[in-house]
Amino acid sequence: MDMDISLLQVGLLMVTGFAAGIINTLAGGGSNLTLPALMVMGMPAEVANATNRVGVVLQSVIGLLGFKKHGKLETDDTVPILIPSIIGGLLGAAAAAYAPSGWVKPLLLGTMLAMALIILVRPSIVAPEPGTLSRKVRDTPSSWWGLGLAGFYGGFVQAGVGFVLLAALAGTLRYDLVRANALKMLCTLVFTVVALVLFVAEGLVLWLPGLILAVGTMLGAHVAVKMAIKAKPETLKWFLFLMTLCGCIAAMLS
């Protein structure tokens, strides 16, 4: 598939991609910007959803490389983290194929509201105190359920999965927000590569707008990693809260 793109549309994709790259790297929900931008160009929803994954994949790669460069990507527990996430994602995708479409919006809104309440009432769940020791998956049975549920949500809805992954990684394994964001991007990369392969096989990806969008998301991710390394934990927590509220509003208006 291919399409003609004007200079105005190139600018729209670059700007929204840049903002989404920052939002997705530090919190989640950047697709609330990029999906409407793609659909404004005349793409059907399913094509926009597929094309959007090009930017998500490349942005995740840049983010991971940045976090690894600064020593913030935990690599000794990645396989145990990915296993329940992938299993949950496959089950969620299977459930989405049979579930009524009307379930998606309530689930998205409910998740965003729950996340906002958690940050307000018990912020230590998603933002552990500095100096808190992280845990291994093998020593934390509850993390299998948390990561599995996050994967299921990602496979079922996808939108806002970053928030759920952060809650699982920080809440059960006690990673600080910077390290949790790095591992979140790893999980997101794995989910999205699988989805992108399927979308490409179905011929739903428009590569030119997808790659233009990806340039913006990669620049945003590069900037966001530097912001995450320098920002105070309290600043990251409130940025996460603000993005969660934006996700609630987007879910209500969609």
Side-chain angles (χ1 to χ4, degrees), residues 28-29 32 112 163 240-252:
N32 290 326
M112 296 298 98
F163 298 117
L240 177 61
F241 176 68
L242 178 61
M243 291 302 101
T244 307
L245 288 184
C246 290
C248 291
I249 295 170
M252 288 187 286

Side-chain angles (χ1 to χ4, degrees), residues 47-208:
V47 175
N49 183 36
T51 302
N52 183 57
R53 306 304 175 98
V54 178
V56 174
V57 166
L58 294 178
Q59 147 209 299
S60 298
V61 171
I62 294 299
L64 281 173
L65 291 174
F67 282 122
K68 184 177 181 180
K69 178 182 176 181
H70 290 90
K72 300 298 183 180
L73 177 62
E74 301 287 341
T75 57
D76 59 342
D77 208 30
T78 51
V79 173
I81 286 172
L82 287 174
I83 289 174
S85 302
I86 292 171
I87 293 173
L90 291 173
L91 293 174
Y98 299 101
S101 59
W103 287 20
V104 173
K105 182 176 177 179
L107 182 59
L108 175 59
L109 180 57
T111 301
M112 296 298 98
L113 288 172
M115 189 69 180
L117 286 174
I118 287 172
I119 296 173
L120 281 177
V121 178
R122 295 194 62 188
S124 61
I125 290 180
V126 293
E129 294 296 324
T132 301
L133 296 178
S134 61
R135 305 165 180 166
K136 300 295 184 184
V137 172
R138 65 175 180 271
D139 301 324
T140 317
S142 61
S143 66
W144 275 82
W145 290 103
L147 291 167
L149 287 173
F152 183 89
Y153 179 87
F156 192 93
V157 181
Q158 179 63 38
V161 67
F163 298 117
V164 186
L165 282 168
L166 281 178
L169 291 164
T172 61
L173 297 177
R174 311 311 289 159
Y175 286 105
D176 61 68
L177 274 178
V178 177
R179 288 179 167 80
N181 267 313
L183 288 168
K184 174 204 72 180
M185 298 201 77
L186 176 62
C187 293
T188 302
L189 176 62
V190 173
F191 289 156
T192 312
V193 165
V194 173
L196 183 59
V197 169
L198 295 174
F199 287 135
V200 170
E202 293 295 321
L204 293 173
V205 176
L206 291 173
W207 286 104
L208 181 57

Side-chain angles (χ1 to χ4, degrees), residues 1 3 9 12 35-45 47-48 206:
M1 298 179 70
M3 68 181 297
Q9 290 172 330
L12 173 66
L35 285 175
L38 291 167
M39 287 189 284
V40 162
M41 296 173 60
M43 293 184 199
V47 175
L206 291 173

